[in-house]
Amino acid sequence: MPSVIVVGGGLAGLSATAALAEAGFAVDLYEARGFLGGRATSYPLSPADENSEVIDNCQHVLLRCCVNLLDFYGRLGVRDRVRFSGDFYFVEPGGRVSTLRRGRLPAPLHFSGSFLGLRFLNAADKLAIARGLLAIRREHSRRRDLDRISMLEWLREKRQTPGAIDRFWRQVLVSAVNEELDRMAAAHGFQVFWVGFLARSDSYEMGVPAVPLADLYSAEVWRPFPRVSIHLRCPVESVDGSGGVKLMDGAARRADFYIVCVPPERLAAVAPGLEIDTSWVEHSPITGIHLWLDRPITALPHATLLDRTVQWMFNKSGGRYVQLVISASRALNSMPKGDVIAMALRELAEFFPTAREARLERSHVVKELRATFSALPGLEPLRPGPVTKAGNVFLAGDWTRSGWPATMEGAVRSGYIAAEAVSRAAGKPEKLLIK
Ligand SMILES: Cc1cc2nc3c(=O)[nH]c(=O)nc-3n(C[C@H](O)[C@H](O)[C@H](O)COP(=O)(O)OP(=O)(O)OC[C@H]3O[C@@H](n4cnc5c(N)ncnc54)[C@H](O)[C@@H]3O)c2cc1C
């Protein structure tokens, strides 16, 4: 049985591990931290208290078009722990709610009815958006410069109105790609709208895990994988195709193949011999704000909030515990956490009138400064593939060439792509990636 060592227990490493184990490989996974999931994880709010509430580092969502992520959840038997919703609620300051949901018509006309009813866009905005969506449909497979221009350049080329740009394109894309429109390659914006909104009528449905993220990859879900050994709190010091893996405690481990799934800023330290260029990587931050209030402030399960700093609200517990998300949150990087909370409460009161009287019981702010790489134009050719100059060392991670921006789906795609490369090198090729 060929053996594989996977370094890094984020979604890239976990998905490669599950897929290779099912294909008959013996897999040892080494993770530096005491839990799995990397950037998509959860942890106790007060680690010293064994009854502490467990929170996600930040709300993570997926769309139904994340087919590889769903396939991976299926391998782990946790697919039913994700709840899908077909309703997108847009809330304006003042509290007016508009809902985008599919109707009876087939794709790409499935949104026609609810789209026409969106009250936060005027007729000129809607006309512009309809033209823009038709242009995406026409150009997505033909146009060759989409990785070289920004989404904002493309939107201006298509004469989108300010209202359409600010309240529709920006509102959807900044959260989906974690970057501003003027810094985002148009290719990523196209992909979100083509794969997520136009290609199939159900692909836009939003999935929210019903359990803390770390429960999706807990020890229990790995029990049916006898060929997998997971080593937590085992940071790898170095990986070298001929010398194997050296752990921080000095121990050495060997396998037939290695997959390095660490973030780009860790790669040069862990695998210097691979000489992979990561100098192109710039990071884009995400801020998650957890607020526990003394009364319910909304009955909506989730909502995207227009025209303010906070972009998304997720209702975690009857409207009393809400998680707020701000993508591409550079403006908050140096803001004291107390000021971030005050801003969030001020904005919530504009969207949800009950929040004006609500008393804050607890709060927690997570600023992930290196949430994802910045999806700038011109990067696609620089993202490395799975194969490295060391023939038996492979690479995965959301920043590698997965065909997707840095997302959970992108990470799983990269894990499957690396696992396919390992299986080819072992002479038993597997087809894992769902295109
Ligand atoms: C705040 C936030 C919100 C996000 N929201 C969403 C969302 O809503 N939807 C979405 O699709 N995506 C979202 N993302 C992006 C998504 O979380 C990432 O793209 C994905 O989880 C990256 O997975 P990965 O395996 O490539 O990397 P990572 O998750 O970074 O995994 C790398 C792992 O390697 C480990 N490691 C590092 N060095 C070593 C070493 N020397 N030895 C052993 N292990 C090591 C790390 O501890 C880590 O566990 C969000 C990210 C953040 C930060």
Side-chain angles (χ1 to χ4, degrees), residues 7-14 30-33 35-41 57-62 66 69 175-176 178 234-238 248 261-263 266 270 286-288 325 366 368 370-372 396-399 405-412 414:
V7 181
L11 282 165
L14 294 173
Y30 290 89
E31 165 56 45
R33 301 199 283 181
F35 43 85
L36 295 174
R39 275 168 280 161
T41 197
N57 62 337
C58 184
Q59 180 69 62
H60 274 64
V61 302
L62 57 134
C66 295
L69 179 63
S175 308
N178 190 29
C234 267
V236 165
E237 186 178 307
S238 62
M248 289 288 185
C261 309
V262 300
R266 297 283 309 131
V270 173
I286 299 178
T287 299
V325 183
V366 184
E368 293 272 8
R370 290 175 168 161
T372 67
D398 64 353
W399 60 282
T407 50
M408 297 189 287
E409 168 73 5
V412 170
S414 79

Side-chain angles (χ1 to χ4, degrees), residues 124-199:
D125 298 333
K126 287 179 189 166
L127 204 61
I129 293 166
R131 272 195 291 101
L133 292 173
L134 283 174
I136 288 181
R137 195 155 172 255
R138 223 174 28 245
E139 295 181 10
H140 81 99
S141 59
R142 290 196 205 142
R143 208 160 149 164
R144 296 281 158 256
D145 62 347
L146 293 174
D147 181 48
R148 295 196 295 277
I149 61 169
S150 75
M151 191 65 195
L152 190 60
E153 285 174 89
W154 185 85
L155 291 169
R156 289 198 171 133
E157 181 192 304
K158 297 295 176 239
R159 291 178 288 107
Q160 294 295 298
T161 57
I165 292 178
D166 286 339
R167 294 188 134 192
F168 183 75
W169 300 102
R170 174 169 289 123
Q171 199 69 24
V172 175
L173 288 176
V174 172
S175 308
V177 183
N178 190 29
E179 195 43 281
E180 288 296 341
L181 294 177
D182 59 342
R183 291 174 52 87
M184 172 194 308
H188 294 304
F190 261 60
Q191 192 198 24
V192 170
F193 275 98
W194 174 246
V195 182
F197 285 79
L198 295 171

Side-chain angles (χ1 to χ4, degrees), residues 310-386:
V310 175
Q311 294 149 351
W312 275 91
M313 179 283 300
F314 294 92
N315 180 345
K316 301 302 286 181
S317 166
R320 286 188 55 182
Y321 167 30
V322 292
Q323 268 191 46
L324 310 178
V325 183
I326 304 160
S327 297
S329 58
R330 284 182 194 85
L332 304 185
N333 282 359
S334 57
M335 189 186 279
K337 289 190 175 173
D339 292 357
V340 172
I341 292 163
M343 175 274 296
L345 288 171
R346 228 175 18 249
E347 293 196 357
L348 273 190
E350 290 189 77
F351 293 103
F352 307 108
T354 325
R356 283 179 212 146
E357 284 91 50
R359 201 171 50 80
L360 183 67
E361 293 184 334
R362 263 186 310 153
S363 60
H364 184 71
V365 175
V366 184
K367 292 185 191 179
E368 293 272 8
L369 300 188
R370 290 175 168 161
T372 67
F373 77 86
S374 178
L376 295 163
L379 294 188
E380 280 312 290
L382 305 176
R383 295 172 76 180

Side-chain angles (χ1 to χ4, degrees), residues 37-342:
R39 275 168 280 161
T41 197
S42 45
Y43 44 75
L45 192 54
S46 320
D49 172 4
E50 62 178 30
N51 297 318
S52 168
E53 185 165 356
V54 173
I55 59 165
D56 293 343
N57 62 337
C58 184
Q59 180 69 62
H60 274 64
V61 302
L62 57 134
L63 298 183
R64 219 183 258 289
C65 61
C66 295
V67 288
N68 289 280
L69 179 63
L70 289 169
D71 179 76
F72 165 62
Y73 288 157
R75 288 177 196 269
L76 297 189
V78 298
R79 208 173 154 140
D80 59 352
R81 298 183 199 176
V82 178
R83 303 269 179 278
F84 279 94
S85 160
D87 291 342
F88 271 75
Y89 304 102
F90 293 78
V91 188
E92 293 167 79
R96 189 164 71 167
V97 181
S98 300
T99 308
L100 188 67
R101 64 166 68 98
R102 78 165 183 267
R104 293 195 176 169
L105 292 174
L109 300 173
H110 50 300
F111 286 127
S112 309
S114 66
F115 177 73
L116 289 174
L118 295 178
R119 292 187 287 174
F120 62 93
L121 297 169
N122 64 31
D125 298 333
K126 287 179 189 166
L127 204 61
I129 293 166
R131 272 195 291 101
L133 292 173
L134 283 174
I136 288 181
R137 195 155 172 255
R138 223 174 28 245
E139 295 181 10
H140 81 99
S141 59
R142 290 196 205 142
R143 208 160 149 164
R144 296 281 158 256
D145 62 347
L146 293 174
D147 181 48
R148 295 196 295 277
I149 61 169
S150 75
M151 191 65 195
L152 190 60
E153 285 174 89
W154 185 85
L155 291 169
R156 289 198 171 133
E157 181 192 304
K158 297 295 176 239
R159 291 178 288 107
Q160 294 295 298
T161 57
I165 292 178
D166 286 339
R167 294 188 134 192
F168 183 75
W169 300 102
R170 174 169 289 123
Q171 199 69 24
V172 175
L173 288 176
V174 172
S175 308
V177 183
N178 190 29
E179 195 43 281
E180 288 296 341
L181 294 177
D182 59 342
R183 291 174 52 87
M184 172 194 308
H188 294 304
F190 261 60
Q191 192 198 24
V192 170
F193 275 98
W194 174 246
V195 182
F197 285 79
L198 295 171
R200 285 176 50 112
S201 66
D202 63 351
S203 55
Y204 77 101
E205 290 178 359
M206 185 168 72
V208 177
V211 295
L213 285 166
D215 286 8
L216 297 173
Y217 352 98
S218 64
E220 165 220 333
V221 307
W222 289 98
R223 252 180 228 129
F225 291 82
R227 296 190 186 93
V228 173
S229 303
I230 293 178
H231 310 269
L232 297 177
R233 295 189 188 83
C234 267
V236 165
E237 186 178 307
S238 62
V239 184
D240 167 347
S242 48
V245 155
K246 197 168 149 211
L247 303 180
M248 289 288 185
D249 64 8
R253 298 283 183 271
R254 279 181 175 283
D256 299 313
F257 303 98
Y258 306 87
I259 309 183
V260 184
C261 309
V262 300
E265 64 276 10
R266 297 283 309 131
L267 187 69
V270 173
L274 299 182
E275 293 176 355
I276 305 278
D277 177 19
T278 55
S279 61
W280 53 271
V281 176
E282 265 186 56
H283 287 100
S284 182
I286 299 178
T287 299
I289 306 168
H290 303 249
L291 301 176
W292 289 264
L293 300 141
D294 69 344
R295 69 197 71 186
I297 60 160
T298 177
L300 293 176
H302 46 73
T304 181
L305 310 180
L306 293 161
D307 304 337
R308 293 292 182 270
T309 310
V310 175
Q311 294 149 351
W312 275 91
M313 179 283 300
F314 294 92
N315 180 345
K316 301 302 286 181
S317 166
R320 286 188 55 182
Y321 167 30
V322 292
Q323 268 191 46
L324 310 178
V325 183
I326 304 160
S327 297
S329 58
R330 284 182 194 85
L332 304 185
N333 282 359
S334 57
M335 189 186 279
K337 289 190 175 173
D339 292 357
V340 172
I341 292 163

